[in-house]
């Protein structure tokens, strides 16, 4: 690089106080305009934009070269900072009161015609954006997102380090433990026929670090899960992973709340209110139909089965009937009801019943209501004249969960959140759940979570009633992460494995290294894993974590930029002892 054009400043960091200074700037041509015998160029780097002025009377050589400039050419300039003429200021940008009168110009590189504009937010399909991600990342919005992610990571490291945690890296190549999601497998060339697995989490290693006496560990960890993608999932993702010894749930709550306070204060200058509220798993499902409720909205679910099972309305008979109150929307139109019904069906409801509380209630089953039943409905749902009641009926449990999903649509359509950020701890999870499809008991979180002391006596007799020392942190209806106090007693861990159908021989085959470690004196320990991608996405106001990742993959785990996954050379497969079996077409 020509040292004459080595940058002295960043574009977006200049302001009116710098008038009169000589600077050297580097960046991309964001836009060029010819006007009144002058050429104006908006020069862009990661900090922002500054206006350049090319005047043939000042330097004709630079002016003539500037006539050739196109968008996204990479240039360097030397010039003097001047105050913009009165009336030409642009107060929408930090540098809008100044401009650079260019003395010298050099072109570092030229650009092909772009597949889409990067200097404005236009609608571009996802595949094209990811195919040209190196261009997509030039957009100011994405650059701000990547900067925010960097700042959050730095705050995390400082806070946890100052809190006595050590950053420790755990292996990326480990053994497969297929008890959770599907593993990404890596074949071994040295040990033909055997495979490593990429970690779904550092769970087992961080527990062994506690056995090792590390006491407090953290890691900004890359994790991998071969599962179907959603807006908040990627095949590879990043979590803030932490574990500590000689602690209980209250210690974890305090550590994590302090971490989140530091993140939001340091990155957004927002002071969170501590401590975060807590809600039991059972209460969350009862009131909101989910274990990750968005409590920015006041809408809740109400079980009105006992009242409405008794009326002569077939859809309600012998069903669980769950209601939601939509305040002050009793004047809804027929078209509005049809739209809500379509939305409810799309979320899994078999239908949607409604009741408008006017002077005379109206709705598909209003003729079956007498004054007593109507009064009971109003009491249970805390509703009054002018409100709209919506009902979903289905088998027990299904109706509530479906209405929980529908509640999100109701909130989106009719209400504004009552706060920007609403954190919530969900506690008292069940230790186990029952998988009806596979007819077996499985771990609600993971098999290393400890049971509550007062429920241990139920382990072998009524395991589904056992509560766990587990907790989730929810923000605006999004699960940020999960954690628990672990089983530090190898005998208790074996009991949990047994209930999950993992006998002792199988347990030692899959988790022998952990059981052995626990048998050499393990301290009480617990921790948490928080999704860094999700945290940054919410802070940036993005719907998808793909907007805060530098190089994300598509919904079907494909990278349009590198075309991964891809075929590999036959010789590579031969070295690994692998042959590809083509799928037979019947």
């Amino acid at each position: 690089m020509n040292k004459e054009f080595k940058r002295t400043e960043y574009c977006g960091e200049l302001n009116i106080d710098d008038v009169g200074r000589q600077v050297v700037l580097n960046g991309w041509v964001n836009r060029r305009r010819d006007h009144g015998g002058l050429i104006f160029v908006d020069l862009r780097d990661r900090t922002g934009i500054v206006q350049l002025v090319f005047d043939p009377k000042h330097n004709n050589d630079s002016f003539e070269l500037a006539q050739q400039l196109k968008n996204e050419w990479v240039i360097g300039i030397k010039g003097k900072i001047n105050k913009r003429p009165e009336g030409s200021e642009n107060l929408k940008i930090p540098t809008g009161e100044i401009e650079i009168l260019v003395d010298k110009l050099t072109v570092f590189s030229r650009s092909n015609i772009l597949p889409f504009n990067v200097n404005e937010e236009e609608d571009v399909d996802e595949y094209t954006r990811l195919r040209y991600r190196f261009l997509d990342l030039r957009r100011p919005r994405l650059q701000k997102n990547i900067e925010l992610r960097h700042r959050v990571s730095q705050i995390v490291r400082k806070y946890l380090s100052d809190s006595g945690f050590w950053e420790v890296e755990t292996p990326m190549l480990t053994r497969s433990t297929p008890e959770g999601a599907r593993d990404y497998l890596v074949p071994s060339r040295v040990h033909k026929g055997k495979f490593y697995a990429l970690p779904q989490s550092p769970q087992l290693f961080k527990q062994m670090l506690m056995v090792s006496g590390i006491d407090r560990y953290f890691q900004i960890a890359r994790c991998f899960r071969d599962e179907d993608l959603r807006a908040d999932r990627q095949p590879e993702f990043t979590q803030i992973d932490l574990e500590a010894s000689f602690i209980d749930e209250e210690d974890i709550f305090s550590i994590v709340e302090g971490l989140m306070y530091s993140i939001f204060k340091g990155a957004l200058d927002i002071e969170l209110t501590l401590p975060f509220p807590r809600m039991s798993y059972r209460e969350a499902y009862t009131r909101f139909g989910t274990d990750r409720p968005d409590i920015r909205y006041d809408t809740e679910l109400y079980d009105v089965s006992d009242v409405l099972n008794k009326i002569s309305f077939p859809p309600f008979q012998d069903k669980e009937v769950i209601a939601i109150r939509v305040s002050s929307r009793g004047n809804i139109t027929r078209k509005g009801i049809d739209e809500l019904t379509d939305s409810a069906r799309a979320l899994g409801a078999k239908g949607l019943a409604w009741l408008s509380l006017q002077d005379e209630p109206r709705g598909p089953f209003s003729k079956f209501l007498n004054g007593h039943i109507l009064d009971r409905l109003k009491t249970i749902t805390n509703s009054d004249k002018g409100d709209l009641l919506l009902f979903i009926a289905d088998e027990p449990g299904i109706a509530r969960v479906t209405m929980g999903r529908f509640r999100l649509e109701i909130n989106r359509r009719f209400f504004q959140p009552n706060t920007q950020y609403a954190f919530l701890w969900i506690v008292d999870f069940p230790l186990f759940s029952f998988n009806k499809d596979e007819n077996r008991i499985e771990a609600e979180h993971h098999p290393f979570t400890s049971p509550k002391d007062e429920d241990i006596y139920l382990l072998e007799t009524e395991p589904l009633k056992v509560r766990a020392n587990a907790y989730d942190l929810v923000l605006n209806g999004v699960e940020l992460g999960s954690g628990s106090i672990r089983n530090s007693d190898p005998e208790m861990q074996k009991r949990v494995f047994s209930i999950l159908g993992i006998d002792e021989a199988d347990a030692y085959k899959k988790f022998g290294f952990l059981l052995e470690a626990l048998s050499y004196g393990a301290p009480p320990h617990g921790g948490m894993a928080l999704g860094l991608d999700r945290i940054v996405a919410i802070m940036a106001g993005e719907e998808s974590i793909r907007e805060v990742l530098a190089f994300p993959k598509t919904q079907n785990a494909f990278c349009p930029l590198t075309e991964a996954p891809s075929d590999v050379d036959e010789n590579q497969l031969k070295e690994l002892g692998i042959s590809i079996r083509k799928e037979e077409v019947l």
Side-chain angles (χ1 to χ4, degrees):
M1 179 176 177
N2 187 336
K3 290 186 177 181
E4 184 181 11
F5 289 96
K6 192 171 183 179
R7 176 174 53 200
T8 61
E9 324 281 340
Y10 281 99
C11 297
E13 295 177 348
L14 302 174
N15 57 53
I16 193 70
D17 295 333
D18 296 306
V19 167
R21 291 181 51 212
Q22 291 288 135
V23 293
V24 179
L25 303 178
N26 303 155
W28 284 262
V29 174
N30 195 64
R31 187 176 284 107
R32 194 198 82 189
R33 307 179 302 281
D34 296 355
H35 183 69
L38 302 175
I39 295 174
F40 296 91
V41 169
D42 291 337
L43 184 67
R44 185 190 74 245
D45 63 19
R46 72 178 191 180
T47 64
I49 289 174
V50 70
Q51 178 172 281
L52 310 179
V53 181
F54 294 87
D55 185 345
K57 296 177 181 178
H58 180 71
N59 189 303
N60 191 60
D61 291 341
S62 294
F63 179 83
E64 290 185 356
L65 182 56
Q67 289 181 311
Q68 304 175 33
L69 296 179
K70 301 290 191 299
N71 284 3
E72 299 309 302
W73 284 25
V74 184
I75 64 174
I77 64 100
K78 295 178 67 175
K80 182 182 178 182
I81 302 173
N82 290 334
K83 188 178 185 301
R84 289 197 192 190
E86 187 174 349
S88 67
E89 301 93 340
N90 179 5
L91 300 183
K92 294 180 179 179
I93 60 175
T95 61
E97 295 179 279
I98 61 170
E99 60 188 17
I100 314 297
L101 181 61
V102 176
D103 298 324
K104 287 188 177 182
L105 165 67
T106 188
V107 175
F108 293 127
S109 66
R110 291 164 168 75
S111 172
N112 293 332
I113 296 175
L114 302 178
F116 53 84
N117 289 328
V118 301
N119 57 12
E120 57 188 49
E121 284 291 331
E122 65 177 35
D123 190 19
V124 182
D125 69 272
E126 181 184 74
Y127 186 91
T128 301
R129 288 182 60 199
L130 298 186
R131 166 67 180 83
Y132 297 97
R133 189 62 166 182
F134 49 87
L135 295 177
D136 197 38
L137 283 170
R138 292 183 188 177
R139 296 187 186 206
R141 176 174 63 86
L142 290 187
Q143 295 226 336
K144 287 179 181 177
N145 289 351
I146 298 300
E147 180 194 15
L148 175 62
R149 185 186 182 99
H150 161 72
R151 290 165 60 200
V152 169
S153 296
Q154 296 301 101
I155 292 168
V156 168
R157 285 191 162 96
K158 184 178 189 308
Y159 172 85
L160 291 176
S161 296
D162 290 348
S163 299
F165 287 80
W166 292 356
E167 185 171 8
V168 182
E169 295 176 345
T170 53
M172 297 294 282
L173 295 176
T174 184
R175 68 172 295 147
S176 178
T177 54
E179 293 302 315
R182 289 182 294 271
D183 287 325
Y184 276 103
L185 300 177
V186 180
S188 170
R189 178 185 61 82
V190 176
H191 305 281
K192 283 188 171 59
K194 296 186 182 296
F195 294 82
Y196 300 102
L198 298 180
Q200 296 187 31
S201 82
Q203 180 64 45
L204 301 181
F205 287 105
K206 67 179 180 179
Q207 286 191 244
M208 287 189 287
L209 286 173
M210 297 304 100
V211 178
S212 302
I214 296 300
D215 196 78
R216 291 193 167 200
Y217 139 94
F218 85 94
Q219 181 180 189
I220 298 181
R222 299 289 286 169
C223 301
F224 307 83
R225 290 178 188 167
D226 187 6
E227 59 186 352
D228 297 333
L229 305 188
R230 302 195 300 270
D232 60 345
R233 293 290 174 100
Q234 282 277 298
E236 50 184 317
F237 56 96
T238 305
Q239 63 186 35
I240 304 166
D241 200 56
L242 60 93
E243 196 83 3
S245 296
F246 304 107
I247 49 87
D248 58 21
E249 290 170 282
E250 294 297 328
D251 296 308
I252 297 296
F253 295 157
S254 178
I255 290 166
V256 172
E257 287 174 358
L259 173 61
M260 299 311 299
Y261 181 94
S262 296
I263 288 172
F264 276 75
K265 177 61 178 174
L268 299 181
D269 197 25
I270 291 175
E271 294 193 19
L272 302 177
T273 300
L274 303 182
F276 299 153
R278 302 177 193 179
M279 185 181 296
S280 72
Y281 172 88
R282 181 183 295 275
E283 181 185 355
Y285 259 107
T286 299
R287 294 174 59 190
F288 304 105
T290 179
D291 61 356
R292 50 181 187 278
D294 188 347
I295 59 171
R296 294 177 299 165
Y297 301 90
D298 295 329
T299 50
E300 293 191 24
L301 313 189
Y302 304 96
D303 190 337
V304 293
S305 306
D306 288 347
V307 177
L308 295 183
N309 284 165
K310 299 173 183 178
I311 69 173
S312 300
F313 187 60
F316 289 166
Q317 291 175 0
D318 300 320
K319 300 294 184 184
E320 179 182 63
V321 186
I322 303 298
I324 190 169
R325 174 176 61 89
V326 188
S327 60
S328 305
R329 294 298 190 279
N331 60 349
I332 191 168
T333 64
R334 183 71 235 185
K335 179 182 178 183
I337 289 292
D338 290 342
E339 290 175 351
L340 289 175
T341 302
D342 290 342
S343 296
R345 289 184 184 278
L347 293 169
K350 294 176 180 176
L352 183 71
W354 58 280
L355 189 66
S356 174
L357 300 178
Q358 306 291 355
D359 291 329
E360 288 294 327
R362 62 186 180 93
F365 62 92
S366 58
K367 64 182 180 181
F368 300 111
L369 302 179
N370 57 39
H372 174 67
I373 291 176
L374 187 60
D375 287 344
R376 287 194 64 193
L377 274 180
K378 288 181 178 179
T379 299
I380 293 171
T381 59
N382 298 312
S383 48
D384 207 342
K385 181 181 175 181
D387 292 341
L388 173 69
L389 294 179
L390 301 172
F391 306 85
I392 290 176
D394 211 318
E395 298 304 315
I398 296 176
R400 187 178 298 278
V401 171
T402 305
M403 184 62 91
R405 292 194 292 264
F406 187 52
R407 173 180 177 264
L408 301 180
E409 177 65 15
I410 293 296
N411 293 338
R412 186 188 67 81
R413 283 175 179 254
F414 296 112
F415 303 113
Q416 293 295 319
N418 53 37
T419 187
Q420 187 175 8
Y421 299 108
F423 285 86
L424 176 67
W425 286 108
I426 302 295
V427 298
D428 295 340
F429 279 86
L431 186 61
F432 304 108
S433 59
F434 187 74
N435 187 322
K436 292 182 180 179
D437 294 334
E438 299 181 15
N439 193 34
R440 67 182 181 92
I441 290 176
E442 57 188 16
E444 177 69 24
H445 274 78
H446 58 60
F448 313 108
T449 298
S450 65
K452 286 191 175 294
D453 289 345
E454 58 268 33
D455 291 350
I456 289 176
Y457 76 99
L458 295 169
L459 270 175
E460 279 75 24
T461 56
E462 296 183 276
L464 295 178
K465 291 185 178 181
V466 178
R467 292 168 301 157
N469 291 312
Y471 35 84
D472 282 3
L473 183 60
V474 176
L475 172 58
N476 296 356
V478 176
E479 178 196 317
L480 293 187
S482 297
S484 68
I485 304 302
R486 324 301 185 187
N487 285 313
S488 55
D489 177 2
E491 295 307 313
M492 177 59 71
Q493 185 63 75
K494 291 175 189 177
R495 289 175 68 181
V496 172
F497 282 153
S498 178
I499 293 167
L500 294 171
I502 305 172
D503 61 30
E504 189 163 341
D506 202 22
Y508 272 97
K509 181 179 178 182
K510 294 177 177 178
F511 308 107
F513 55 97
L514 174 65
L515 292 172
E516 182 180 23
L518 294 178
S519 70
Y520 280 91
H525 60 280
M528 191 162 193
L530 296 157
L532 177 64
D533 308 324
R534 297 182 190 181
I535 293 170
V536 177
I538 292 174
M539 295 175 72
E542 298 288 359
E543 292 292 324
S544 170
I545 63 171
R546 289 191 290 277
E547 300 303 315
V548 299
L549 300 174
F551 299 103
K553 292 177 175 57
T554 62
Q555 276 299 97
N556 63 351
F558 179 71
C559 176
L561 177 63
T562 63
E563 298 187 336
S566 65
D567 295 327
V568 296
D569 188 90
E570 189 67 31
N571 288 330
Q572 290 178 281
L573 294 176
K574 188 175 180 180
E575 280 188 323
L576 294 167
I578 292 177
S579 62
I580 303 296
R581 186 175 64 190
K582 297 295 183 182
E583 193 172 346
E584 294 182 9
V585 179
L586 300 178

